[in-house]
Amino acid sequence: MLQYIKFTNLPVTNQRRAVRFYREKLGMRILQNTPYKNDWRWVELGIPGGETAIVLVRKKNIDPDDLPALVLAVDDVQSTYEELQARGVVFTQGPRPAPWNPEQRFALFRDSEGNTVLIGSSYDE
C-alpha cells in the first residue's frame, strides 16, 4: 500500500546556496548530504515533522519559470508571508485568494535558484 511521497526533486544550479536559503530562510533541515555523481551531492531537505523530502537536483534550464517548482502548505498564509519577509524572502506576489479555490489563499516568491515557490493554505485552513 502507498504510504506517502518520499521525496520530490527541486532543480538548482548551486546546491550550497540553495541549502543555505532553505535552511536560513524557510527553516528546513538537512536529512542527507552525501557524495553522489561527479561534483554533485545527494542533498535531501525536510520540513521538521514532515514526511516528504526535497532532493536538490541539477537544474538544466536556468531561465526562471512562472509555474511553481515547489508548493508548500502553511497553516496561515498571511502570518507565514510576514514571517518569511522578515527573514529576507522577497515575494513576487503577496497573499490573495486562489483562483482555483477562493476559500484558499496563496503567495509566491523566488528561491535562491530562481524557482517560483508557492505558499498556500492547507486543506483545513
Side-chain angles (χ1 to χ4, degrees):
M1 256 327 185
L2 299 177
Q3 294 179 322
Y4 58 91
I5 297 170
K6 183 171 178 163
F7 65 81
T8 187
N9 295 331
L10 182 66
V12 302
T13 54
N14 184 313
Q15 284 182 310
R16 285 188 180 141
R17 182 177 60 206
V19 165
R20 193 170 44 254
F21 178 87
Y22 281 93
R23 287 184 70 205
E24 293 175 7
K25 307 286 186 192
L26 302 187
M28 291 188 181
R29 61 190 172 98
I30 296 173
L31 303 175
Q32 185 171 340
N33 185 350
T34 56
Y36 182 52
K37 290 183 178 178
N38 302 326
D39 62 342
W40 206 250
R41 301 185 64 78
W42 184 267
V43 178
E44 289 184 27
L45 301 173
I47 297 170
E51 293 182 336
T52 303
I54 297 168
V55 175
L56 303 180
V57 298
R58 191 180 307 269
K59 189 174 196 172
K60 293 178 178 29
N61 179 4
I62 60 170
D63 295 328
D65 190 350
D66 290 335
L67 292 174
L70 182 63
V71 177
L72 300 170
V74 299
D75 55 357
D76 182 286
V77 173
Q78 185 65 41
S79 65
T80 303
Y81 168 80
E82 292 168 5
E83 180 182 337
L84 293 179
Q85 272 193 316
R87 292 184 190 176
V89 174
V90 177
F91 282 79
T92 58
Q93 181 175 300
R96 62 184 57 182
W100 58 88
N101 182 344
E103 293 183 18
Q104 293 184 345
R105 296 179 58 75
F106 77 106
L108 300 171
F109 65 88
R110 290 211 189 269
D111 70 6
S112 63
E113 307 308 295
N115 295 306
T116 298
V117 179
L118 182 150
I119 60 167
S121 307
S122 58
Y123 288 110
D124 54 0
E125 180 178 315

